[in-house]
Structures are given as structure tokens and as C-alpha cells.
Amino acid sequence: MSDQERESRKRKLKENVIFGEKDKAESGETMQEGRSRASTRNKAILPLIFLLVLLIGLSIYLYSKRRFSRLGLRWTTEFSDKEGSAAEYFSFADGVIKVSKDGASYLSSSGKLLWNQAYEMASPLTAIHGSYMVIGEENGSELYILSSEGLSGQGESSLPIKKLSISEGGVVYALLEDGDSSYITVFSKEGKNLDIGIKSVLSGDGFPMDFSVSNDGEELLVAYSYLDKSTLKSRAVFYNFSSLGKNVGADRVVGGFTENFTGKMLGRVHFFSNEESFVAYNGGLSFFSTRVKTSPEEKKNLAILGTIRMIAYDDSYLAVLTDNTKEKEEENYRLLLFRKNGEKLFDKALSFSGSNMELNGDKIFLYQEKSYQVYDFSGRLRYNGNTEDRLLYLRSASDIHLGGSELILCFPNKVERVRIQ
């Protein structure tokens, strides 16, 4: 090979190396520019994605809090005219119980009639706790104790029955009256008299205005009102009928409270659980703890401005409807909701009061004749409804969710399950 050819090949190799490196450099620059542009696009897209997620979340929140406007019928169960006459309805287990002078009928949440219990009572009294209930004859002596399965037991009192309360497990406390004295006696869920009693004399102890038994049936809270030198006084008294109560004396009294009740009348008492309870009186609310069984404690006392019109409660919450005393507001009423420890969840001015109030599930109901309103636990009006027939009672059949909620409406001769959305 000649020297000239060798030089020519060297020049070509050099050119290939130089141009190859140049191509690589240009390729690297192109990739760097691509990454830079992608990074810029990502920075521009991220705020848009965040805004989109925020808008979706806000839309879901607003949709979940909207006022329902549509109603759809799920099922109807009808009764004869005779069955519907003078009937009352109550929440019972997962459905409703219809109570009349001739008997009681339990209707499940699916509309199925599970049982009928026949009896004859001129004026039936009812107390319900979860899946147990007692029906007794006012000023009579008969007692029927029922569960969601049917008749649990029958009992008979020695004196006329004035009021009833029942525990979660079916233990019944009955207020009996005999002239100037009253007695509270206890029955098992089978109807057996347990030979436990509290006697009060009107001239000394006062008259029991209301009473409530704890979930386990071992504690009793009684509201007494009495006159002391022409001054109205009231007291809330706690009794304990467990083995602990034997150590405090024959009367089983473990605590009594009068401080906030001078000149007041106690109207309603209720055990939320074995440890929390409340007393409602004209002028306020008192919340109590029996965490220490032999030493009840008043945890909170709240003044209520305006007349208390109605109260409703379950095992965790208390709703109160009062007159509105705020002059700058046009509404005539106020709706308040409290937790069982006395914490206030809301205080809302209302124009509509209704003649009845119920608290069930996650809703508060106000209703009268052919109209009703449904509020959630934030005080929002979720549904404003009207009916063709006279509405006797309503309860929740499901919690509020994005798709709506379901209610059970009770009328003189039928029960309906409806969906609001």
C-alpha cells in the first residue's frame, strides 16, 4: 500500500471520529432539552391536577350536604280500619311497633309482619329499650314483656301502674300508686316480681315525676318534686340494686342532687348508658356520671333560655326544642343537639316546630299532621316533606349517604318505607 493511500484512510478515520463525537454531543443536547421541556410541562400540569382533585372533593362534599328533594316509595304494609284505630307507633329493634287497645304488632324494616301480641287494655303504657319492650295497662295491673322474637313474659302488679321503664336486657321497673304513696317495683324479663321496691310518700319524699333504668338494669334514676314550706323543690336520686348497693343501706340510695333544682320541676330523666344520664327541668339540663357506681357526679349543668317545648333522645344524643328568646331573630324556636356528656353540637333557629320530635339514627325529625322535616346532626335541613294522610310517627331506616337515605313513615292504617334523595 502506498503512502498516499495510507494518508487518505487516516483522514477518513479522523473525520468519522470527529463527526461521531459531534453527533453524540448534539444528541445529548437534544435529550437535555427534552427533559427540560417535560419538567416544565409537569410543573404546569401539577397545579391543574391539584385543582381538579380539589374541585372533585368539594363537589362530593357539597353533594353529600345537599337538601334532598325527591321521594320514592319502597314498600307499603296496610292495616284494616279497626287495626289502625287509636294506634300508636314506636321505634322497636330495626322496625316499628304498632300499639293499640287490642294488641301490638311488630313490623320489620323490610315490611314483614313478624308477630302479633293480643291483649285488651283501655289505655296501654309502653316503654322500649332496643329489642325489648314492656306494655302495661295504665291504672291496671297487667304487664306484657316482649322482645324482637315475641312474648318474653307476663307479669302482674299489686297496685295500679302509672309509668314503666325497661333495661336493655328486659328488666322492668314499674311505678305504682296507692293513695298518698308511690312504689317502684321490679320485674324480670319473664315477668317475675323480683321483690325489689322503693316507697315514697307524697307529703315527705315527693312524687316521682319520671324515672329511668340503666342499660344493665342495676341503676335507677328518679326525679322527685315536692313542696317545702310552700316552695317547689326537686331532686334527682340515684339508686343501685347491684351487690354494691347493699353496702349503702336498705334504701339503696347512692346519690341525691338538689342544688340546681330549687323552684324548678324535673320533667324528664334518662340513662344513656350504664355511666351517663341526664335530667331535664324548666330552665336547664344536668348531665351526670355514674362511672363510680356508689358516687354519682354532676358533670355539667346548662341553662336553657326559653321554654323547653320537646326533647328526644337515644343512647348517645339529646335533642331539645325551645322557644327562641333572641330578639334579633325572626324564627320562633331553637333546635339544640347535645352529646351524652353535655357537649353541644349545634344551636339552630327554626320557624317550623311541629307537634312531635324524634331522634333516630343520624337524624332529628320534627313533624305534625301532614308535614315533616328531617335534620342531620350538623343542624342542616335535609328534607322538607308532606304526606297525603295524617302522619303518626316516623323513624330512620338508613344513615344519610351520598345517594340519599331511607325512612319509615307510619299512618293510621299503613306503614311505608320511602327513599329521599
Side-chain angles (χ1 to χ4, degrees):
M1 182 182 296
S2 65
D3 293 339
Q4 188 176 358
E5 289 179 356
R6 280 197 293 270
E7 289 299 325
S8 176
R9 287 186 178 184
K10 286 181 182 179
R11 281 196 305 270
K12 288 181 179 180
L13 285 174
K14 287 181 181 179
E15 289 174 358
N16 287 337
V17 170
I18 292 170
F19 289 123
E21 291 298 329
K22 183 178 179 181
D23 290 341
K24 287 181 182 180
E26 290 178 352
S27 176
E29 290 175 3
T30 302
M31 292 176 64
Q32 185 65 32
E33 290 176 1
R35 292 193 191 100
S36 178
R37 286 195 294 269
S39 177
T40 302
R41 284 196 301 270
N42 290 339
K43 288 179 180 179
I45 290 172
L46 283 175
L48 294 176
I49 293 174
F50 176 77
L51 181 60
L52 181 61
V53 170
L54 183 63
L55 289 174
I56 292 173
L58 182 60
S59 299
I60 292 173
Y61 174 78
L62 293 175
Y63 184 77
S64 69
K65 302 302 180 184
R66 76 194 189 285
R67 183 182 295 187
F68 301 128
S69 58
R70 292 183 296 165
L71 183 143
L73 179 65
R74 299 297 302 276
W75 52 254
T76 300
T77 298
E78 296 184 351
F79 302 103
S80 69
D81 290 341
K82 182 180 179 181
E83 290 174 325
S85 62
E88 288 186 282
Y89 291 89
F90 305 92
S91 292
F92 180 60
D94 73 335
V96 292
I97 190 87
K98 180 176 71 66
V99 178
S100 69
K101 297 179 180 180
D102 303 315
S105 302
Y106 171 39
L107 200 67
S108 73
S109 59
S110 62
K112 184 178 180 182
L113 185 62
L114 297 183
W115 52 253
N116 284 298
Q117 176 60 52
Y119 55 74
E120 290 186 6
M121 295 183 185
S123 182
L125 292 171
T126 304
I128 298 173
H129 195 147
S131 58
Y132 271 97
M133 69 176 298
V134 57
I135 302 173
E137 185 172 15
E138 186 175 11
N139 295 318
S141 60
E142 283 187 295
L143 287 172
Y144 288 81
I145 303 163
L146 303 123
S147 74
S148 56
E149 304 297 321
L151 184 66
S152 174
Q154 288 181 249
E156 188 169 351
S157 65
S158 57
L159 294 170
I161 300 168
K162 293 297 182 181
K163 198 172 183 63
L164 297 166
S165 183
I166 190 167
S167 75
E168 192 175 45
V171 178
V172 175
Y173 284 70
L175 172 63
L176 314 177
E177 192 174 280
D178 181 21
D180 293 335
S181 301
S182 63
Y183 301 82
I184 295 177
T185 190
V186 188
F187 296 85
S188 70
K189 66 180 181 181
E190 293 79 22
K192 180 182 177 182
N193 194 317
L194 298 181
D195 196 29
I196 298 172
I198 301 168
K199 180 181 179 180
S200 57
V201 180
L202 183 61
S203 59
D205 304 296
F207 185 78
M209 302 300 294
D210 194 25
F211 66 101
S212 176
V213 60
S214 61
N215 288 0
D216 58 14
E218 295 182 346
E219 300 169 88
L220 189 70
L221 170 56
V222 184
Y224 291 97
S225 286
Y226 59 100
L227 289 175
D228 183 11
K229 297 178 181 179
S230 72
T231 301
L232 176 65
K233 293 187 177 181
S234 296
R235 62 172 170 263
V237 180
F238 288 86
Y239 299 85
N240 189 293
F241 294 100
S242 70
S243 57
L244 293 173
K246 292 180 179 180
N247 301 324
V248 300
D251 59 5
R252 302 296 188 103
V253 174
V254 293
F257 299 84
T258 60
E259 183 178 352
N260 295 308
F261 309 137
T262 300
K264 307 295 183 181
M265 182 172 287
L266 306 187
R268 193 74 63 86
V269 300
H270 175 66
F271 262 104
F272 293 109
S273 64
N274 293 328
E275 297 181 352
E276 294 95 1
S277 56
F278 82 88
V279 171
Y281 60 94
N282 57 325
L285 303 167
S286 287
F287 293 85
F288 294 89
S289 170
T290 49
R291 187 177 295 275
V292 180
K293 301 294 185 183
T294 56
S295 183
E297 180 183 3
E298 186 177 32
K299 302 294 288 186
K300 186 174 291 188
N301 181 267
L302 302 173
I304 298 293
L305 300 177
T307 302
I308 296 177
R309 296 287 179 175
M310 292 182 286
I311 67 171
Y313 48 76
D314 61 10
D315 287 342
S316 299
Y317 299 93
L318 167 66
V320 180
L321 186 76
T322 73
D323 288 338
N324 192 356
T325 60
K326 296 185 178 181
E327 296 180 356
K328 294 182 179 180
E329 294 181 340
E330 296 180 357
E331 295 85 355
N332 294 324
Y333 309 98
R334 302 199 71 82
L335 179 63
L336 301 90
L337 182 68
F338 301 90
R339 294 188 192 274
K340 60 185 178 181
N341 62 1
E343 176 191 355
K344 184 163 64 176
L345 295 180
F346 72 78
D347 180 348
K348 180 182 180 66
L350 301 179
S351 296
F352 178 83
S353 68
S355 57
N356 299 281
M357 182 167 67
E358 301 292 337
L359 188 156
N360 188 266
D362 57 351
K363 307 173 191 67
I364 303 167
F365 302 99
L366 292 170
Y367 62 102
Q368 64 182 17
E369 291 296 326
K370 297 181 179 181
S371 59
Y372 63 98
Q373 291 187 341
V374 183
Y375 292 86
D376 64 19
F377 280 6
S378 297
R380 297 183 183 90
L381 176 61
R382 303 307 301 272
Y383 188 74
N384 192 2
N386 293 285
T387 62
E388 294 182 357
D389 299 313
R390 183 165 58 95
L391 184 61
L392 299 181
Y393 183 78
L394 74 164
R395 67 157 293 174
S396 175
S398 73
D399 288 344
I400 298 173
H401 50 77
L402 286 177
S405 184
E406 296 195 2
L407 315 175
I408 296 177
L409 308 180
C410 303
F411 305 95
N413 298 304
K414 65 179 179 180
V415 175
E416 295 179 347
R417 179 163 174 161
V418 300
R419 182 177 183 82
I420 54 175
Q421 55 188 1

